C-alpha cells in the first residue's frame, strides 16, 4: 500500500521533471542540481561559479531550504537573480517546486541555472527535478567514509566536488579510502578537489562546467 | 490523501515508540537518540561516551545507516555490543526498527543505550523512536547558520553538542550568530562545545549525561 503510493508520487514527479527538462532544452538552460549535507559548501560553490561566469552568461539561482532565506540573500547581494523555495519541513526539492519557479520567473534563454537542494545527503538523490547535471559536494570535514555510507547519493552524481581541502591538514582524511569508495560505486565519476575559501582547485571545476555549457550550446 | 496516510504512519510509529519507552523504563535503560548531519561526529561522540562510562555501567549501541557497517565495527572494536540497522535507503530510524533490536538483543538492565540515527539534519527530527533524550550534534565545520536553516531539528533537541571546535580557528564561525539561532528556537537548550579529537569540553558533556543517568536511577 505505502509502496504503491510512493510509486505514484515518484511517477507524477518524473512526469513534471521531464517537462522541466524539455523547457530547459527549449530555452538553452543548463540546470545543475547541487546536493550535499548541511554546511558542505553548496552556497560557496555557487558563489564561485557566479564569480567565474557572471561576465559571460546569464545566471539564475534557486535556493532550497526548509526555512529561511539566508542563502538567497547572499546570492542577490552579488547582483544575481535568486528565488528562495522554503519546503516547510520537506527534506528535498521536487519537480513541481522547480516547475512553479519556471512559470513564475522570467529566466532568460541561455542561462546557467544553479539549483541548491535542501542540505541532505539522503533524500534528494531519489527526486528528479528535471536537472541536466547532478553535482554532489562532499566536505573534507565530514570525513573520508561518506561514499560508503551514502551510496545512492554518490551513485547518482555526474560529478563530485570535494570541498574544504584547505583544512585537510588539520583533520584526519584518507584520500585513498575516499577515492576507493567513489570508484566502487562508479569508476568514471570526475572528482574535483577545491577550497572555496582559498580558491584552490576552482579553475578545474569551472573548466568542467564550461565544457558542459559548450556541449549544451550555451557557450561558444 | 497523502497527509492522512502520513498521519497514520506517524500514529503507528508513536504507539511503538511509547512501547519502547515503557520497555526502557522497565529495564532502567537510558536511551539517547543521537542526530546530526553526515560527518558531524556522531560516532566520535559515542566513542567518547563509551570511554567515559564503560567502566561504571553497561553500554549498548545501535548504529543506523542507509548502508554498510563501518560504525558498528568501530564500536565492537572497543569491546562494546553494537547492532547495525541498515535502512536500505531510508532517511531515518523509526520506532519499529528499535523495537526489533529490543526483541532480538538481550540488552541488560541499567544500560546506557546510544542510538546513532542516520546522518540527516532533517527527517529524523519528526520520528519518535522511544528515546528518553534527543542529542543533536552540529559540527563547527558546517558553519554557524545551521540553527536558522534546520529549525525542527534544533527545536526537538534536549541538548546540543557543537563538535570539532579544534578547527574553529581555521574556518569562519561566528559564535554569537550560532547561539542567537539556538536561543531564538529554545532559550534553555544546553549547548556543549567539544572536540572529540583533542578531548576539549568532553568533561562537561559527560557530566551532563551522568546527571541524566542519576535522575533515571541508573547511576547512584
Amino acid at each position: 500500500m505505502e509502496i504503491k503510493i510512493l510509486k505514484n508520487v515518484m511517477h507524477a514527479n518524473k512526469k513534471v521533471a521531464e517537462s522541466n527538462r524539455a523547457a530547459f532544452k527549449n530555452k538553452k538552460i543548463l540546470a545543475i542540481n547541487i546536493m550535499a549535507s548541511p554546511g558542505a559548501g553548496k552556497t560557496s560553490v555557487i558563489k564561485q561559479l557566479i564569480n567565474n561566469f557572471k561576465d559571460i552568461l546569464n545566471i539564475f539561482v534557486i535556493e532550497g531550504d526548509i526555512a529561511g532565506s539566508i542563502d538567497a540573500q547572499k546570492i542577490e547581494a552579488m547582483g544575481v537573480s535568486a528565488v528562495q523555495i522554503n519546503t516547510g519541513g520537506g527534506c528535498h526539492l521536487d519537480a513541481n517546486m522547480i516547475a512553479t519557479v519556471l512559470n513564475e520567473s522570467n529566466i532568460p534563454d541561455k542561462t546557467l541555472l544553479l539549483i541548491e537542494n535542501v542540505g541532505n545527503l539522503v533524500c534528494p538523490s531519489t527526486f528528479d527535478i528535471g536537472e541536466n547535471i547532478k553535482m554532489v559536494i562532499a566536505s573534507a570535514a565530514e570525513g573520508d567514509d561518506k561514499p560508503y555510507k551514502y551510496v545512492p547519493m554518490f551513485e547518482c552524481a555526474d560529478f563530485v566536488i570535494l570541498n574544504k581541502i584547505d583544512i585537510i591538514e588539520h583533520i584526519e582524511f584518507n584520500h585513498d579510502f575516499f577515492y576507493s569508495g567513489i570508484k566502487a560505486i562508479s569508476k568514471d565519476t570526475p572528482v574535483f578537489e577545491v577550497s572555496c575559501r582559498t580558491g584552490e582547485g576552482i579553475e578545474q571545476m569551472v573548466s568542467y562546467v564550461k565544457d558542459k555549457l559548450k556541449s549544451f550550446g550555451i557557450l561558444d
Side-chain angles (χ1 to χ4, degrees), chain A:
Chain A
M1 177 72 164
E2 271 173 65
I3 290 169
K4 197 177 159 210
I5 287 160
L6 185 64
K7 272 191 186 156
N8 285 350
V9 170
M10 295 309 270
H11 182 69
N13 184 72
K14 190 81 189 168
K15 274 183 72 174
V16 180
E18 291 304 344
S19 137
N20 291 347
R21 194 145 30 231
F24 294 148
K25 194 175 178 184
N26 204 27
K27 300 190 79 172
K28 288 206 172 174
I29 291 172
L30 176 67
I32 306 184
N33 182 1
I34 302 172
M35 295 175 286
S37 303
K42 293 180 291 303
T43 312
S44 301
V45 165
I46 288 174
K47 286 167 76 178
Q48 286 286 354
L49 291 172
I50 289 174
N51 280 333
N52 278 277
F53 286 111
K54 70 175 175 183
D55 294 337
I56 54 173
L57 85 167
N58 304 313
I59 303 181
F60 194 97
V61 177
I62 298 175
E63 285 291 342
D65 279 294
I66 62 175
S69 61
I70 289 179
D71 293 338
Q73 287 168 27
K74 285 184 193 165
I75 302 306
E76 294 217 311
M78 297 179 79
V80 167
S81 299
V83 167
Q84 178 77 49
I85 297 175
N86 277 158
T87 62
C91 52
H92 60 272
L93 295 180
D94 65 31
N96 263 320
M97 297 171 188
I98 304 303
T100 305
V101 176
L102 282 179
N103 288 336
E104 292 181 2
S105 306
N106 194 15
I107 304 180
D109 287 12
K110 293 201 171 186
T111 288
L112 173 59
L113 175 59
L114 302 169
I115 306 171
E116 179 172 339
N117 217 311
V118 177
N120 182 339
L121 213 53
V122 186
C123 315
S125 71
T126 49
F127 282 81
D128 185 357
I129 55 175
E131 74 284 314
N132 306 107
I133 300 175
K134 288 177 196 275
M135 174 201 291
V136 173
I137 305 173
S139 157
E142 294 163 3
D144 48 31
D145 60 358
K146 295 302 150 291
Y148 299 88
K149 290 181 175 175
Y150 301 88
V151 174
M153 184 56 84
F154 287 91
E155 212 162 40
C156 82
D158 291 301
F159 70 114
V160 170
I161 304 292
L162 177 60
N163 190 23
K164 307 197 187 183
I165 55 164
D166 57 299
I167 57 165
I168 229 158
E169 61 184 301
H170 306 294
I171 57 172
E172 280 145 45
F173 191 92
N174 184 326
H175 269 84
D176 290 345
F177 187 63
F178 179 78
Y179 279 98
S180 295
I182 302 246
K183 284 199 189 328
I185 295 166
S186 166
K187 241 187 259 182
D188 305 318
T189 307
V191 181
F192 300 100
E193 299 191 13
V194 312
S195 164
C196 288
R197 194 157 170 246
T198 66
E200 196 181 340
I202 296 296
E203 210 176 312
Q204 288 79 356
M205 173 182 82
V206 165
S207 162
Y208 175 87
V209 174
K210 199 173 268 178
D211 286 347
K212 293 290 172 191
L213 286 162
K214 285 178 184 169
S215 72
F216 276 76
I218 298 168
L219 276 187
D220 295 326

